[in-house]
Short mmCIF file of all heavy atoms in Angstrom, two decimals:
data_model
loop_
_atom_site.label_atom_id
_atom_site.label_comp_id
_atom_site.label_asym_id
_atom_site.label_seq_id
_atom_site.Cartn_x
_atom_site.Cartn_y
_atom_site.Cartn_z
N LEU A 15 -10.23 -5.40 10.29
CA LEU A 15 -9.50 -6.38 9.49
C LEU A 15 -8.19 -5.79 9.01
O LEU A 15 -7.13 -6.44 9.07
CB LEU A 15 -10.36 -6.84 8.32
CG LEU A 15 -9.73 -7.84 7.35
CD1 LEU A 15 -9.35 -9.13 8.08
CD2 LEU A 15 -10.69 -8.15 6.20
N ALA A 35 19.71 -0.16 9.85
CA ALA A 35 20.40 0.42 8.69
C ALA A 35 21.47 1.42 9.15
O ALA A 35 21.25 2.20 10.07
CB ALA A 35 19.40 1.10 7.77
N ASP A 53 3.27 2.53 -10.86
CA ASP A 53 2.07 1.75 -11.16
C ASP A 53 0.91 2.10 -10.23
O ASP A 53 -0.26 2.02 -10.63
CB ASP A 53 2.37 0.26 -11.13
CG ASP A 53 3.14 -0.19 -12.35
OD1 ASP A 53 3.19 0.58 -13.34
OD2 ASP A 53 3.70 -1.29 -12.35
N ASP A 67 -19.57 6.44 -11.82
CA ASP A 67 -20.49 6.57 -10.68
C ASP A 67 -20.23 7.90 -9.97
O ASP A 67 -19.15 8.11 -9.40
CB ASP A 67 -20.29 5.41 -9.71
CG ASP A 67 -21.36 5.33 -8.63
OD1 ASP A 67 -21.86 6.40 -8.22
OD2 ASP A 67 -21.69 4.22 -8.21
N PHE A 74 -12.19 9.82 -6.02
CA PHE A 74 -11.16 9.24 -6.88
C PHE A 74 -10.34 10.32 -7.57
O PHE A 74 -9.13 10.15 -7.76
CB PHE A 74 -11.81 8.33 -7.92
CG PHE A 74 -12.37 7.04 -7.37
CD1 PHE A 74 -13.09 6.17 -8.17
CD2 PHE A 74 -12.20 6.70 -6.03
CE1 PHE A 74 -13.60 4.98 -7.67
CE2 PHE A 74 -12.70 5.53 -5.50
CZ PHE A 74 -13.41 4.66 -6.33
N PHE A 95 20.69 11.96 -3.73
CA PHE A 95 21.46 11.21 -2.74
C PHE A 95 22.22 10.02 -3.33
O PHE A 95 22.66 9.14 -2.59
CB PHE A 95 20.53 10.75 -1.60
CG PHE A 95 20.09 11.92 -0.75
CD1 PHE A 95 18.84 12.48 -0.91
CD2 PHE A 95 20.95 12.47 0.20
CE1 PHE A 95 18.43 13.56 -0.15
CE2 PHE A 95 20.56 13.55 0.97
CZ PHE A 95 19.29 14.10 0.80
N GLY A 142 -3.09 2.10 3.97
CA GLY A 142 -2.97 1.74 5.38
C GLY A 142 -1.64 1.12 5.72
O GLY A 142 -0.98 1.47 6.71
N GLY A 159 21.24 11.24 7.45
CA GLY A 159 21.55 12.39 6.61
C GLY A 159 20.99 12.32 5.20
O GLY A 159 21.36 13.11 4.34
N GLU A 203 -5.41 -10.71 0.03
CA GLU A 203 -4.54 -10.75 -1.15
C GLU A 203 -3.56 -9.58 -1.15
O GLU A 203 -2.36 -9.78 -1.40
CB GLU A 203 -5.41 -10.73 -2.42
CG GLU A 203 -6.20 -12.01 -2.64
CD GLU A 203 -7.21 -11.91 -3.76
OE1 GLU A 203 -7.32 -10.82 -4.39
OE2 GLU A 203 -7.89 -12.92 -4.03
N LEU A 207 0.61 -9.84 -0.72
CA LEU A 207 1.55 -9.33 -1.72
C LEU A 207 2.48 -8.28 -1.13
O LEU A 207 3.68 -8.27 -1.43
CB LEU A 207 0.78 -8.77 -2.92
CG LEU A 207 0.04 -9.81 -3.77
CD1 LEU A 207 -0.88 -9.12 -4.77
CD2 LEU A 207 1.03 -10.71 -4.50
N ALA A 214 11.08 -9.59 0.60
CA ALA A 214 12.11 -9.56 -0.45
C ALA A 214 13.06 -8.39 -0.22
O ALA A 214 14.29 -8.55 -0.34
CB ALA A 214 11.45 -9.45 -1.81
#
Side-chain angles (χ1 to χ4, degrees):
L15 179 60
D53 285 345
D67 190 327
F74 289 175
F95 289 100
E203 290 171 0
L207 291 170

